[in-house]
Amino acid sequence: MALSVIDTKELTSLQLTLDWLNDENNSGTDLPLVGSMIKAEFYVREPRITVITRIKDNLETPHVMAELKVGYYNFLFILPYSNKDKVKYCTESQLANLFKVFPQFSPDVGWGYKSYVNNTMKKLSFQLI
């Protein structure tokens, strides 16, 4: 979804991402963790996606990440395999700098992060508080 709305000038840095998506036999390795959060106050009637692109390469944040909102569900995902990223963001410690720049995505405010390293079907489970 993020690739369908991103500025096309960013696609040259995401060629490995496109190759991975187009290869059904490539389940991916070292994929970034995916964040999720459920909060009633963030309810949206229609799905929304926000794509955040790093414009300064000296920052230690992901090149491209997106927040997807569907109903009460919020998801944060980092596009993998960008040649502008120095870090793979596949562990919570690798996300630490992200939370310094974007504290609204921190586990401290309710976000949980999981790994989806392969393309096998998984059941998402959420605990309502």
Side-chain angles (χ1 to χ4, degrees), residues 25-62:
N25 295 314
N26 183 353
S27 61
T29 59
D30 297 327
L31 293 174
L33 297 178
V34 176
S36 63
M37 181 172 60
I38 302 172
K39 285 212 173 181
E41 60 265 29
F42 295 148
Y43 176 78
V44 293
R45 292 178 64 116
E46 297 174 0
R48 297 180 188 171
I49 189 165
T50 303
V51 177
I52 302 165
T53 305
R54 185 183 68 223
I55 56 174
K56 294 184 179 181
D57 286 333
N58 62 340
L59 294 176
E60 294 184 28
T61 58

Side-chain angles (χ1 to χ4, degrees), residues 1-118:
M1 286 182 268
L3 289 169
S4 68
V5 297
I6 196 170
D7 188 333
T8 55
K9 70 181 180 184
E10 300 296 336
L11 293 177
T12 56
S13 300
L14 297 166
Q15 188 56 52
L16 290 174
T17 308
L18 294 166
D19 293 345
W20 168 67
L21 287 171
N22 287 318
D23 184 355
E24 65 184 46
N25 295 314
N26 183 353
S27 61
T29 59
D30 297 327
L31 293 174
L33 297 178
V34 176
S36 63
M37 181 172 60
I38 302 172
K39 285 212 173 181
E41 60 265 29
F42 295 148
Y43 176 78
V44 293
R45 292 178 64 116
E46 297 174 0
R48 297 180 188 171
I49 189 165
T50 303
V51 177
I52 302 165
T53 305
R54 185 183 68 223
I55 56 174
K56 294 184 179 181
D57 286 333
N58 62 340
L59 294 176
E60 294 184 28
T61 58
H63 171 219
V64 181
M65 59 185 185
E67 182 181 16
L68 174 65
K69 296 181 177 194
V70 181
Y72 297 104
Y73 298 93
N74 294 310
F75 300 96
L76 178 70
F77 54 94
I78 297 166
L79 294 188
Y81 310 127
S82 170
N83 65 15
K84 289 187 175 184
D85 281 337
K86 297 175 188 166
V87 177
K88 295 179 181 179
Y89 303 101
C90 57
T91 66
E92 286 202 36
S93 64
Q94 291 177 336
L95 293 173
N97 285 328
L98 169 68
F99 302 144
K100 289 177 187 173
V101 177
F102 297 98
Q104 68 269 30
F105 298 127
S106 169
D108 295 340
V109 296
W111 285 88
Y113 288 86
K114 289 186 180 180
S115 174
Y116 297 94
V117 174
N118 61 42

